[in-house]
Amino acid sequence: MKYPFYQVDVFTSSPLGGNPLAVFPDAEGLDNETMQKIAREMNLSETTFIFPHGNLPVDFSIRIFTPEKELPFAGHPTLGTAHILREAGKVPSGNYPVKLAMEAGVITVTQGEKEKLLFMGQPLPEFQHPLDYAEEIAELLGLPESSIDSNDYPIQIVSTGLPVLFVPIISLEALGEISIDTNRVKRTLASLGTDMIYTFTLQTIHSNASVHSRAFAPALGITEDPATGSAAGALGAYLCKNNLVSEQERNNIFIEQGYEMGRPASLYVAVEQEGDNIKSIRVGGESVTVIKGELEI
């Protein structure tokens, strides 16, 4: 059987930047084992498989696989899949809201100010208690404890569909010096019930950026991720909850990521908050298709 696929770079307007994604638009007939093998073969952080909606009130159902496991939700696969569906004419373009069913629920993708700027809604955040883990986390990252900025900002797990451990770093220089011990990171994150450690600093390369970040998920087969949409929404919630962005910035949080990997990415987050309550989270970015191919199995 031959299965067409696309490769799309997400959270960038330029080819060979952002986070690459493989999309299989006609995945009927593929079982779980085969999809996992294909994701391993594609060797990208995620691969998505598109299925008919069945009786659900959505446009399509999608499955998301890393090289190691299936995910209930992920950000750049959602936006990249919607981009391909629009580009291939499988859903209308323009202001049409693309509804995608996945294990975590139904995610709606809408167009922003530009044609290729798409935004997705995310589940409301769940916050775990802050962790007193600065010394242990610093060792995992190959940094001195003084590089962890936990005096002002908490080390905390937050989820908007996928739990992420957020670690505040004191500077851009310190963020660039991270060198993770993958086996120790796997063990520590597993004990905390998450697969990803997301480091960030409020020092940025671009003056209009809010945050500079790096994300690591070795248990998912992702040593470092160049752009992490699911974590971006959770980070937006974290920043608002801890008063690290102004009220005016909440609707235009700009995250720069992937620079240390040579794959610059731009992620945009809009958080609606009333008092202490977060009402909605949207994450957006541009995408560009770079490969069209066919897999024969």
Side-chain angles (χ1 to χ4, degrees), residues 195-259:
D195 289 317
M196 180 173 290
I197 183 168
Y198 187 101
T199 59
F200 71 93
T201 178
L202 300 186
Q203 289 187 7
T204 60
I205 294 173
H206 299 288
S207 60
N208 60 334
S210 311
V211 169
H212 188 98
S213 68
R214 299 180 70 182
F216 309 90
L220 299 178
I222 305 168
T223 304
E224 181 168 0
D225 200 30
T228 318
S230 55
L235 177 65
Y238 172 101
L239 294 173
C240 292
K241 183 82 168 178
N242 291 290
N243 299 312
L244 299 179
V245 292
S246 68
E247 188 172 344
Q248 291 73 28
E249 287 180 287
R250 290 175 190 164
N251 283 320
N252 192 26
I253 298 169
F254 170 22
I255 301 168
E256 53 185 32
Q257 189 179 341
Y259 284 77

Side-chain angles (χ1 to χ4, degrees), residues 62-275:
I62 68 170
R63 305 274 297 275
I64 304 169
F65 286 79
T66 76
E68 296 297 328
K69 63 188 289 189
E70 184 174 7
L71 298 179
F73 166 73
H76 96 277
T78 302
L79 290 178
T81 298
H83 166 84
I84 290 299
L85 288 171
R86 285 161 51 100
E87 189 171 84
K90 290 180 175 290
V91 297
S93 57
N95 293 324
Y96 179 81
V98 182
K99 295 185 181 296
L100 301 173
M102 56 195 76
E103 187 179 331
V106 176
I107 302 296
T108 301
V109 179
T110 56
Q111 183 174 296
E113 295 176 357
K114 295 189 254 182
E115 181 183 357
K116 292 189 176 181
L117 177 59
L118 302 180
F119 279 84
M120 61 184 166
Q122 290 194 354
L124 293 179
E126 297 178 0
F127 296 89
Q128 296 188 20
H129 293 296
L131 300 170
D132 186 16
Y133 267 44
E135 182 178 354
E136 294 86 345
I137 295 297
E139 289 181 6
L140 294 181
L141 299 174
L143 297 176
E145 186 178 354
S146 58
S147 294
I148 309 294
D149 202 6
S150 58
N151 289 330
D152 296 318
Y153 320 122
I155 298 171
Q156 189 173 26
I157 293 176
V158 184
S159 175
T160 53
L162 200 66
V164 178
L165 175 63
F166 289 101
V167 180
I169 304 296
I170 200 163
S171 67
L172 263 176
E173 181 181 5
L175 199 72
E177 292 174 351
I178 289 174
S179 178
I180 68 166
D181 181 330
T182 56
N183 288 328
R184 289 186 63 188
V185 168
K186 285 181 184 180
R187 291 194 298 270
T188 300
L189 293 183
S191 71
L192 294 173
T194 179
D195 289 317
M196 180 173 290
I197 183 168
Y198 187 101
T199 59
F200 71 93
T201 178
L202 300 186
Q203 289 187 7
T204 60
I205 294 173
H206 299 288
S207 60
N208 60 334
S210 311
V211 169
H212 188 98
S213 68
R214 299 180 70 182
F216 309 90
L220 299 178
I222 305 168
T223 304
E224 181 168 0
D225 200 30
T228 318
S230 55
L235 177 65
Y238 172 101
L239 294 173
C240 292
K241 183 82 168 178
N242 291 290
N243 299 312
L244 299 179
V245 292
S246 68
E247 188 172 344
Q248 291 73 28
E249 287 180 287
R250 290 175 190 164
N251 283 320
N252 192 26
I253 298 169
F254 170 22
I255 301 168
E256 53 185 32
Q257 189 179 341
Y259 284 77
E260 291 78 8
M261 303 177 67
R263 299 192 66 95
S266 300
L267 301 87
Y268 302 95
V269 183
V271 179
E272 181 186 356
Q273 183 172 356
E274 293 181 5

Side-chain angles (χ1 to χ4, degrees), residues 276-294:
D276 292 332
N277 297 319
I278 292 175
K279 298 294 187 180
S280 70
I281 297 174
R282 297 168 65 242
V283 174
E286 295 184 72
S287 299
V288 57
T289 304
V290 293
I291 296 174
K292 298 178 182 180
E294 201 171 58

